[in-house]
Amino acid sequence: MDLGVGPRTAEAMAAIRARISGGGLGPGDRLPSIRRLAATLGLSPSTVVEAYDRLAAEGVIRARPGSGFYVVPGVRPPLAFAPAVGRPPAVDPFWVSRLALDADPAMAKPGCGWLPADWMPTEALRRAIRTVARSDAALLTDYGGTRGSPALRRLLANRLADEGVPVGPDRILLTASGTQAIDLVCRMLLRPGDTVILDDPCYFNFQALLGVHGVRTVGVPFGETGPDVAAFEATVAAERPRLYLTNAALHNPTGATMAPQTAHRVLAAAAAHDVVVVEDDIFADFEPDRSVRLAALDGLDRVVRVGSFSKTLSASVRCGYVAARADWIEALVDLQVATGFGGPSPVAAEVVARLLAEGGYRRHVEGLRRRLDGARRDAARQLGDLGMEPWTMPRGGFYLWCRLPDGRDGATVARAALGEGVVLAPGDVFAVSGSAAAFMRFNVAWARDARALDVLRRALDGPAEEGAAPDG
Amino acid sequence: MDLGVGPRTAEAMAAIRARISGGGLGPGDRLPSIRRLAATLGLSPSTVVEAYDRLAAEGVIRARPGSGFYVVPGVRPPLAFAPAVGRPPAVDPFWVSRLALDADPAMAKPGCGWLPADWMPTEALRRAIRTVARSDAALLTDYGGTRGSPALRRLLANRLADEGVPVGPDRILLTASGTQAIDLVCRMLLRPGDTVILDDPCYFNFQALLGVHGVRTVGVPFGETGPDVAAFEATVAAERPRLYLTNAALHNPTGATMAPQTAHRVLAAAAAHDVVVVEDDIFADFEPDRSVRLAALDGLDRVVRVGSFSKTLSASVRCGYVAARADWIEALVDLQVATGFGGPSPVAAEVVARLLAEGGYRRHVEGLRRRLDGARRDAARQLGDLGMEPWTMPRGGFYLWCRLPDGRDGATVARAALGEGVVLAPGDVFAVSGSAAAFMRFNVAWARDARALDVLRRALDGPAEEGAAPDG
């Protein structure tokens, strides 16, 4: 990484390093005074100060106040980054997360849950960050208010009102991420031993998250129009769950959308048994037209709405949000103060607010949708050529949930592909109560990668596992 | 907030708003086509597109894909920011946090736990943010690795090595804040009903955080050389705590520093009864010279080291870290993925890395120390004139823990001052087992505010409470 060293400072640093590596300066030796080294090298004293300070930050030398700089004695810890190696081979929810997040940039990631960097609005992001760099000192240095940027919350309130959820900005709390918003809601409402309903299959990190809370999860089969309503009603009555956690639009991993009748009956069953519904709307902006929202039907009473802009703007500028009942927002504010002393970086929230306020956001998202429509068609055809059949053709978003050919086992295929530098998302990490070993989730934005397809073809050509589930 | 609207776009937005407010365009009406309005106003079509998009983001109009823009019908939610009002009057740990974080900029905050914005290295911060705006697209848009920025972790490893804690960057996990780092450690190690030892008094948010975990807290009296060792040993033996949570350098709220003998005996007692020690080093850079660190004595075996740069660089560019045993870091990585899908914003971590790598950081912190030495002397004198006596004169940092005159009650004084726009930190919010009603914590960087001192003088002149504890 270039940490912005000027050429003269670099020259001074190189000269000092050379003296140390050459043995002219040994461990514990005092370095020349700034004035003397500046004269020797023909550089300004301020350049030498900068070089000394940078070498001190690197740990090569050390400042002793009032005494000067000294060569650091003894063995230094290894500076090379040791990646997470030796993960247990269990193909569990953490398997995909860790592999996809820590993947070498050279690896292909058809299993990951975000778009490639070159699909993101990088230039608009650079402009927004530069503009925020000129903000008031207080925005750049202070903690910010407990609810987070008023400007961003006003913009979010307008978006919610557009969806038929008329709430003020005070009913919205900004968080460090969408996942963190769900975690805060779980901390508020769940106790160990409680039961939570999940779609089966569902986003694998929902299970990891609920595992941290020590709750029991029960899956309800998820079909092309949402959860199986009869199964949902029976489960709610029999299991007395506290919470139902779902994606309302463009479900992860299937890409299916809940039908209005399903949404209505799910909410009625939740109300009859006092179940809270957490609706994660993370993929909502990828819909070609807006589907019915649980939050809108319910008026944000027993439904908690969660979202973020990690999929459409930036996952690096991290900012999520939660909209809920007023008294719950108060409790969530206290929880976030206690466990994080505030929410997202105010700088990050301001960057997101600028991007949303600009007209460019709508056009960017429209462009993403068009590009994804093409990528989805291409991926479906190319995966079809490999014998993989999409379970449904989603209206939007970037997932294709595909059945593997000939009873192949997803985990086996994923392990084989990983050996060749390709990260896949095997079906079973998404399964709750049943099995999804015969499925795999593909991100269509990455699936057109020729090398990834080639690796996938070879992995599928491996011996079929015995005992692989024939269906999900 | 100025969201960067150009003059021509602002003109177009004003024209459209005027048509709506004047009734020329009613709820549900379609707006003129972009081309037509551009011709009418003598502006370019792209300016009108920008204006329409911004008004849509504000919720005034709405885009219907393929059909145009429409005036939003119906009543909009109020756009004004409703601050957290009607807080219960209980002077508890949340009282100071919420008041200080949500305070109007016009309020004085001698009770807050950070430095004013004009003490922070704002220009260096602006430069670092602008430089990061030029980074690779992947840094600006991707989630980043599970442990966080390798560059920042290498710099932190060097700082730790300087303190005698030789660990590699893989033993460090970046988090969204120092508080979040402590929260993750608590999630890893604590179960409801466990016992945790706290210094008495201690940082009020430690109690709020541990309350979320449902654990029992026991206070050990904190004196001028650290916790009372005999009491610590007896408590550890009697209560079988799982964890001891402390600030090692410049304790919050007292500003006292643990003596080497105290640190050694505390660690020995912790080892004898298998107690984990979490050392929050948040104020370490304010020390004039380095005190002994529990993490250094212990070699980061049963001690977990936590920190952040919120006090010296920026609390808005949020980034904390935790250094611990290798197996614990692995567990914390999984916990952070499950509950936040990653740690700090990679953009934020990169900004912090740049600031630390530059020589300016050391000089900035030296400047802060000099400035605080002066502010501390002045504040002690001025508070002394009001009858308040510092419990100890700290070696560094920005706190003065003062005894109130004549048995005055801190909460009563703080409530009276709040009525006049001054946020104070009354002693009892820091108390664990005992009472600290007769004390108050002052931030010397704010205490020189003439109006704040005047309000404080009047608040102290109020009637003395009966039943106020004479001692802490």
Side-chain angles (χ1 to χ4, degrees), chain A residues 199-203 221-227 247 249-258 283 376 390-402 430 436 439-442 472:
Chain A
D199 300 318
D200 195 3
C202 75
Y203 171 40
F222 198 86
E224 293 212 39
T225 56
N247 309 115
L250 302 175
H251 173 254
N252 181 358
T254 65
T257 296
M258 205 181 286
F283 299 106
R376 194 180 310 111
W391 175 79
T392 188
M393 200 62 187
R395 301 155 55 236
F398 45 74
Y399 293 134
L400 273 184
W401 180 241
C402 292
F430 303 89
F439 284 84
M440 194 164 271
R441 187 193 74 181
F442 287 93

Side-chain angles (χ1 to χ4, degrees), chain A residues 124-134 317 351, chain B residues 129 133 140 347:
Chain A
L125 202 47
R126 293 188 201 283
R127 273 199 310 276
I129 295 173
R130 281 198 302 267
T131 304
V132 170
R134 293 194 296 270
V317 179
V351 169
Chain B
I129 295 172
L140 297 179
V347 164

Side-chain angles (χ1 to χ4, degrees), chain B residues 48-62:
Chain B
V48 174
V49 169
E50 171 85 9
Y52 278 13
D53 278 333
R54 284 185 178 267
L55 289 170
E58 287 184 13
V60 175
I61 64 177
R62 179 186 301 171

Side-chain angles (χ1 to χ4, degrees), chain A residues 56-72:
Chain A
E58 286 184 12
V60 176
I61 64 177
R62 178 185 301 171
R64 289 192 199 143
S67 161
F69 286 85
Y70 292 79
V71 179
V72 166

Side-chain angles (χ1 to χ4, degrees), chain B residues 12-310:
Chain B
M13 290 170 76
I16 301 157
R17 276 189 219 277
R19 288 194 193 191
I20 296 171
S21 61
L25 282 167
D29 281 358
R30 189 173 180 281
L31 274 83
S33 77
I34 285 156
R35 194 168 300 273
R36 190 150 65 88
L37 188 64
T40 307
L41 298 177
L43 296 168
S44 75
S46 66
T47 302
V48 174
V49 169
E50 171 85 9
Y52 278 13
D53 278 333
R54 284 185 178 267
L55 289 170
E58 287 184 13
V60 175
I61 64 177
R62 179 186 301 171
R64 290 193 198 140
S67 160
F69 287 84
Y70 293 79
V71 179
V72 166
V75 178
R76 309 294 302 170
L79 291 189
F81 168 49
V85 290
R87 285 292 298 161
V91 179
D92 63 12
F94 291 112
W95 196 81
V96 180
S97 306
R98 282 233 192 184
L99 285 173
L101 290 169
D102 289 330
D104 189 277
M107 291 175 87
K109 296 179 286 189
C112 88
W114 54 90
L115 292 173
D118 58 5
W119 290 55
M120 293 289 104
T122 316
E123 288 314 311
L125 202 48
R126 293 189 200 282
R127 272 198 311 277
I129 295 172
R130 281 197 303 266
T131 305
V132 170
R134 293 193 295 270
S135 304
D136 288 350
L139 177 85
L140 297 179
T141 63
D142 276 2
Y143 283 90
T146 55
R147 283 164 157 76
S149 161
L152 180 53
R153 288 186 295 111
R154 277 195 294 270
L155 290 163
L156 290 171
N158 288 329
R159 289 167 57 93
L160 284 169
D162 265 1
E163 297 173 15
V165 187
V167 294
D170 51 321
R171 296 270 298 274
I172 298 170
L173 171 66
L174 302 187
T175 60
S177 67
T179 303
Q180 198 233 343
I182 300 173
D183 184 47
L184 285 174
V185 172
C186 289
R187 290 185 111 157
M188 173 176 68
L189 295 174
L190 298 179
R191 294 295 168 265
D194 281 353
T195 298
V196 174
I197 294 188
L198 290 172
D199 301 318
D200 196 2
C202 75
Y203 171 40
F204 49 80
N205 204 51
F206 285 170
Q207 294 192 69
L209 171 61
L210 292 168
V212 173
H213 290 271
V215 298
R216 198 169 67 94
T217 56
V218 180
V220 167
F222 199 86
E224 292 211 41
T225 56
D228 177 318
V229 174
F232 187 89
E233 289 166 345
T235 305
V236 165
E239 306 280 357
R240 315 299 296 190
R242 180 81 181 103
L243 204 106
Y244 168 47
L245 173 56
T246 187
N247 309 115
L250 302 175
H251 173 255
N252 180 359
T254 65
T257 297
M258 204 181 286
Q261 303 87 331
T262 308
H264 172 65
R265 288 182 61 187
V266 160
L267 266 187
H273 296 278
D274 200 21
V275 178
V276 174
V277 179
V278 178
E279 180 176 53
D280 180 8
D281 240 20
I282 184 91
F283 299 106
D285 283 350
F286 292 104
E287 285 194 302
D289 44 78
R290 188 175 293 133
S291 61
V292 68
R293 286 296 194 295
L294 294 167
L297 288 184
D298 169 74
L300 223 53
D301 177 24
R302 71 173 55 256
V303 174
V304 175
R305 163 70 175 271
V306 164
S308 92
F309 296 91
S310 294

Side-chain angles (χ1 to χ4, degrees), chain A residues 2 53 58 158 354 363, chain B residues 2 53 58 158 362-363:
Chain A
D2 161 32
D53 277 333
E58 286 184 12
N158 288 331
R354 286 192 167 269
R363 293 192 293 278
Chain B
D2 161 33
D53 278 333
E58 287 184 13
N158 288 329
R362 184 179 62 84
R363 292 192 294 278

